[in-house]
Every structure is written in structure tokens, then in C-alpha cells.
Amino acid sequence: MEKSMRAVVFDRYGGPEVLHERHVAMPVARAGDVVVRVDATSVNGADLMLRSGKLALATGRRFPKQLGIDFVGTLVEADAAADLDGLSIGDRVWGAVDPRRGPRSLAEWVSTPATQIARAPSNLTAEEAVTLIAGGTTAHTALVHHAKVQPGERVLVRGAAGGVGSVAVQLAKSLGATVTALASASSSEFVRNLGADAVIDYRATSPAQLGAFDIVFDAHGSSLFSFRRLLAPGGRMVSIAVDADAPMRGLLAIAASGVFGSRRIRFFRGNPGRLDLELLTTRVERGELRPVLDRTFSLSRAAEAHTALEARGVQGKLVITTSA
């Protein structure tokens, strides 16, 4: 008899109300895969876009669909061909799903390629650790690999109170940069406590008033050309978001920026592998990055978590646990 588990699914595109809990088949470890018993996952902007149908051209209309990108949990099964690289059954791990394959982490168990998990930080709870996976690996790729931040450079972080931006502020400071953060006035103290040298209310200040920066890190996705104009000679801009209200327009703007050569808008979507996660574990255990947990929800309250993220004003990450 096929074993089942609790998962959050949706049978049509729409608002948070389309999400509901259902029993679905438990995942199995296919070639090179592992199965992890999930303790916690987080809510990401990509989940909102998938659920709402803004990515329907890419994701299609075959339902039900599941959500969830990242997870922290216990390694419970591994295919014989899985590359565990020193990990063992029973280890506490963190990782990400392969979004092209289907299984998602907003469930009690998840399967994923073994190369997309690593040992979780020993100094954080599951709820704390999961706040850093998507933001941490994305910020590291953006600032270290794409922007190549150097000590003393001026970095502008847009969307600094969010799940990715809040980690980007911390990472940029650990790399020796001077960090200016854009956030709402209500999030000013939160962002300053992350290490930002200056926090500016984005509602009260236009891009033209901000000055020049060596690096612009964008976690918002709109008005990209206005922020690209802030780059000093030799500056770099990296965006990890597209405008949720007009995603195609945002992508076209990124493509058109190629005419600016080295000062183009660099864009990427994170798909972290084991090395990314291992580097992140090291930074967390050294105390360079700390968790950015706003609040937690049970699996049955996933719709409430989506509503809260869409309402904005979230400081850090919203986390969903499977324990209740």
C-alpha cells in the first residue's frame, strides 16, 4: 500500500485561499536522490508568483501543484547511487529542491538530488536555519560571484528588510563594504541592527537622491533602469527579482541593459548546490550571518503565511513548520 503524507497543494491559480492541506503520496529516492523528513521550510516570492499564476506560461495548468523551495530536516533515505559526500542517514541537513522536477518542500517529506543538500548549521534551530537558505545562497552568489564585492566599496541593498535583502546586508558588511540599505521607515531599526551603515526610507527618497554606488543589489525588480543610473564608473548591478506586477517587462529591461556592457543589469535565479550550502554553513557557524525569522506558521496555516507576505511589512522570513 502506498504511503501518504501531509502536503499543501492548490488546484487552480489564485490568491492564498486556493492553498489547502491534502494527503499525497510520499516521495521516494529516485536515481541519485535522497529523501528528507522536513522540519521547516520558508515562504519565498517565487512561491507567490507560482501560486498566483503569474508564471503560468512556464508552469502550465496541470494540477494539483505544490510549493516550497528550501527545507531543513533529517536525512531518512538515499538511493544507492546518491553522492552523500560524508553525510549519513539520520543527519540534520538543509537544502533546496530542483524546481524543474516537481517535488516541493511544503510537505512532511521531500525528495531532491543528493547534490542539493549539506550538513545544516549546528548552532541554529530548524526554524532559524531555514530563513538563511534561499537568501544566503542567493546573496552569496550575487555579491561574491557576480558583483565581486571588495572591501571599502559602496553597496546599495534594495529590499533590505526582506528574506534575501536582510542576508545581503549582513554579507556585504562581512565582506568589508559600506552598506546603504533601502527599507520602509518601520523596518529602519531592524535593518540597522543587521549592520547597515545607513538606512533610507524608500518611500520618502527617489533613486536620483541616493548618490553613486559601486554595487547595487536589487531584491525588488521594478524601476531597474533608475537604479542602474546610480552606478559609479566600474560599478555592477545584480537583480534577483522581476517586477511581480509586470514580470515580462522586467525581463525585457534586464535584457536591454546588455548595451551597457560591464555596467549591465546582471540577473539570475538561485539553484543552490552542495558547495553553496557548505559555504553558507561555514559562514553561519562563524557568526557572520544570523537568522532573520519574522514568524512561524503550521503547515495547515500556509495560506495565512502567503497572505502575510503579500501584505508586505515582513522583516526577514516567514517560516512554515510541519510539527503541528
Side-chain angles (χ1 to χ4, degrees), residues 306-317:
H306 274 235
T307 298
L309 188 57
E310 287 187 336
R312 308 207 175 192
V314 172
Q315 297 180 348
K317 297 287 285 190

Side-chain angles (χ1 to χ4, degrees), residues 77-235:
E77 183 184 345
D79 173 70
D83 174 16
L84 295 182
D85 192 28
L87 293 171
S88 302
I89 301 300
D91 283 352
R92 187 166 172 268
V93 297
W94 64 353
V97 301
D98 183 341
R100 300 163 297 183
R101 289 184 27 178
R104 296 280 183 153
S105 59
L106 192 50
E108 292 181 294
W109 281 268
V110 67
S111 63
T112 195
T115 52
Q116 290 188 217
I117 64 167
R119 180 181 62 83
S122 59
N123 58 334
L124 298 180
T125 66
E127 293 82 4
E128 291 171 335
V130 81
T131 68
L132 293 170
I133 299 173
T137 56
T138 300
H140 190 275
T141 300
L143 295 176
V144 176
H145 298 300
H146 288 283
K148 296 180 172 56
V149 175
Q150 300 299 310
E153 288 193 309
R154 297 158 297 174
V155 176
L156 176 69
V157 177
R158 188 179 180 213
V164 181
S166 58
V167 185
V169 169
Q170 297 180 66
L171 180 58
K173 281 300 296 181
S174 75
L175 294 170
T178 299
V179 179
T180 298
L182 290 181
S184 66
S186 61
S187 295
S188 177
E189 183 177 358
F190 166 74
V191 175
R192 196 176 298 279
N193 287 337
L194 295 174
D197 297 284
V199 183
I200 297 174
D201 182 357
Y202 71 89
R203 292 190 179 100
T205 309
S206 70
Q209 297 173 286
L210 294 172
F213 297 90
D214 301 297
I215 294 157
V216 174
F217 176 87
D218 171 71
H220 196 276
S222 64
S223 306
L224 295 178
F225 277 124
S226 295
F227 285 91
R228 197 209 67 82
R229 294 189 187 100
L230 305 183
L231 292 178

Side-chain angles (χ1 to χ4, degrees), residues 2-53:
E2 189 176 59
K3 295 182 178 179
S4 67
M5 65 174 181
R6 292 185 302 142
V8 173
V9 304
F10 58 105
D11 300 306
R12 58 184 173 86
Y13 293 123
E17 71 278 358
V18 303
L19 299 179
H20 58 277
E21 191 178 304
R22 178 185 296 174
H23 278 82
V24 302
M26 283 184 59
V28 296
R30 296 183 290 182
D33 282 2
V34 297
V35 175
V36 174
R37 186 177 70 242
V38 177
D39 292 323
T41 182
S42 74
V43 185
N44 292 280
D47 294 318
L48 304 188
M49 295 183 75
L50 173 59
R51 186 216 71 227
S52 67

